Amino acid sequence: TLTHIQTAVNLVNEKRKRAGLPADFRIEDVGVADEKAYALIAKGDNNGVFQVESSGMAELCKKLAPANLEELTWINALYRPGPLESGMVDDFVDRKHGRVEIKYPVPQLEEVLKESQGVIIYQEQVMRAARVLAGYSLGEADLLRRAMGKKKPEEMAKMKTGFVERSAKNGIDPQKATEIFDLIEKFAGYGFNKSHATAYAYISFQTAFLKAHYPAQFYAALLTTEMSDTDRLAKYISDAKDHDIAVLGPDINESERLFNVVTAADGSESIRFGMEAIKGCGEAVVNSIVEERNSKGPFASFPDFCKRMASKKVNKKTMEVLIRTGAFD
C-alpha cells in the first residue's frame, strides 16, 4: 500500500509538472481532516482503500460513518472476531449516533474511556484502567495486559485478587472492582493496540484522500500495484469505470511500462494500459520499446516499428501479443 501511495503521488506530480506547477505534492502535507475522503469511506466506496475494502468493513464504515481519524481508528479496532461476535459493535454504533446513552462502569474510568464511547477497545485502555483504579505502575499494567491475552486461569485468579485489593485501597467497592476486572478481562482477550490501529487508519485515510481528489492517478497506481493479479485487475478496472475513469487498451505510442494517466484535449483524464501488464510482454521487451520511442520519437507506422525494433528484443510471440491487444490499432 505504501508503494501504491508513492506511485500515485509521483503521478500527481507528473500532472502538476505538465500544468506548469511545481512538482511538490506530498501526501504527508494533506493533514488528516479532509471531508471528501471521510465521505467516500462513510459511503462504503472503499475499493482500493487500505484495510476497509472487504464487504464487512465497508458495511461497518457505512453504519459508523467515520468523520475523522479517531473514528476511523475505532473501525480498525472494532472489526475483529471478538467484538463482532459479542454484539458490542452494534452497541458501539448506537452510542456513536446517540441512540444509546454512554455509561461508564465507575466515574474514574470516564477519562480512560471517553475517547471510545465508554467501551474498552484498546489494549492501552486496559493498562490505563489498571493504573487509574488499582494504582499499577506501567510495567505492572503491561504484565496484566499480557496475562489477559494468554488467558491462563491460575495466573488470572492471582491477578484478580491483587487488582480487587489494590482498587479497594483507592476507594473502589470490591464487588464493583471484581465486575470491572471481569469486564477488562473480557475485552483484553481481543483488544487491539491503539498505536497499531491509528497507523492503519492513517494509511486508510491517505488512500481515501487520493481516491477522492486524484482518482485517475489513484487507479493508475492501484492497477500498477496489482498488475500480476488478473482477477484484481479486472475488479479495479471495473471500479475505475464506475467512477468515470476510462481504462484505455495498450497503445504502442502512448503506453508506458506501467499504467499511466493520459489527458485528452478537453482536459479529461484516462488511464492507459501498461505494456508490462500484457501477458507475454516481458520487462526487457517493454524497456527496449519505450527506450526506442523516447530516443527517436513515436513509431510512424507498423512497418516503421518492425524496421526499428528488428534488432532489439522483440520476437514473433511479442509481436502477436501486441497485435492481439490492439497496441498497433
Side-chain angles (χ1 to χ4, degrees):
T1 302
L2 295 175
T3 303
H4 169 207
I5 290 170
Q6 189 55 55
T7 306
V9 167
N10 295 345
L11 289 168
V12 171
N13 279 321
E14 279 175 29
K15 174 185 177 168
R16 290 176 65 82
K17 220 185 285 179
R18 285 195 300 272
L21 299 165
D24 58 0
F25 173 71
R26 279 166 30 96
I27 193 70
E28 296 82 2
D29 296 339
V30 303
V32 291
D34 184 79
E35 279 181 30
K36 217 171 163 187
Y38 291 113
L40 182 136
I41 293 171
K43 209 165 65 178
D45 182 10
N46 294 346
N47 276 334
V49 178
F50 179 66
Q51 204 60 23
V52 292
E53 196 171 358
S54 71
S55 56
M57 267 287 204
E59 205 47 49
L60 179 55
C61 289
K62 284 197 270 191
K63 282 183 188 171
L64 195 70
N68 54 52
L69 194 71
E70 179 90 75
E71 293 177 5
L72 193 49
T73 304
W74 290 345
I75 287 170
N76 274 299
L78 286 167
Y79 195 76
R80 291 161 67 70
L84 288 168
E85 285 161 20
S86 68
M88 159 191 160
V89 174
D90 292 330
D91 180 51
F92 193 95
V93 169
D94 286 339
R95 288 180 181 217
K96 194 252 175 176
H97 294 300
R99 295 190 286 265
V100 168
E101 189 191 343
I102 296 171
K103 289 178 182 167
Y104 301 97
V106 287
Q108 292 92 322
L109 282 181
E110 184 173 348
E111 61 166 301
V112 178
L113 303 179
K114 203 178 201 171
E115 64 172 350
S116 56
Q117 315 289 311
V119 178
I120 299 168
I121 58 173
Y122 304 126
Q123 289 181 1
E124 288 89 339
Q125 290 174 319
V126 169
M127 293 170 67
R128 283 188 69 202
R131 283 168 61 70
V132 168
L133 300 177
Y136 278 33
S137 69
L138 275 169
E140 288 171 322
D142 191 43
L143 289 173
L144 175 72
R145 175 195 64 77
R146 277 194 283 175
M148 285 178 164
K150 287 176 183 162
K151 297 184 175 70
K152 288 184 179 167
E154 60 290 347
E155 207 176 321
M156 289 317 304
K158 253 190 274 175
M159 291 262 183
K160 188 175 193 172
T161 307
F163 180 88
V164 172
E165 284 172 3
R166 289 174 70 166
S167 297
K169 284 179 189 165
N170 283 342
I172 310 287
D173 174 66
Q175 193 186 335
K176 198 74 193 163
T178 305
E179 283 171 24
I180 291 167
F181 186 90
D182 292 340
L183 180 74
I184 291 173
E185 189 179 0
K186 182 184 163 194
F187 290 119
Y190 49 70
F192 212 56
N193 177 320
K194 186 184 180 184
S195 49
H196 183 78
T198 306
Y200 268 33
Y202 184 48
I203 303 296
S204 302
F205 167 79
Q206 289 184 337
T207 46
F209 178 91
L210 289 165
K211 185 172 182 174
H213 292 272
Y214 300 102
Q217 288 72 20
F218 168 85
Y219 281 110
L222 183 60
L223 293 168
T224 291
T225 308
E226 301 292 351
M227 209 154 60
S228 58
D229 189 326
T230 317
D231 292 343
R232 287 174 82 80
L233 265 190
K235 172 188 166 180
Y236 293 133
I237 287 172
S238 165
D239 197 52
K241 286 175 183 170
D242 290 344
H243 288 79
D244 300 322
I245 306 288
V247 179
L248 311 172
D251 181 295
I252 206 68
N253 282 327
E254 266 199 356
S255 288
E256 300 290 344
R257 268 184 58 233
L258 310 173
F259 287 83
N260 64 310
V261 178
V262 290
T263 310
D266 64 359
S268 63
E269 292 179 319
S270 308
I271 295 166
R272 181 62 77 180
F273 209 89
M275 279 192 283
E276 227 172 88
I278 302 169
K279 280 193 172 173
C281 259
E283 191 181 339
V285 175
V286 174
N287 282 342
S288 68
I289 293 170
V290 173
E291 214 174 275
E292 173 68 23
R293 201 177 65 197
N294 289 347
S295 60
K296 295 179 185 166
F299 299 105
S301 62
F302 182 65
D304 180 49
F305 177 87
C306 296
K307 195 162 70 179
R308 284 164 61 180
M309 298 307 297
S311 61
K312 306 284 172 37
K313 295 177 173 68
V314 182
N315 58 23
K316 183 186 171 194
K317 188 188 169 203
T318 307
M319 293 290 282
E320 286 176 355
V321 166
L322 288 168
I323 290 165
R324 286 200 183 114
T325 60
F328 296 111
D329 289 3

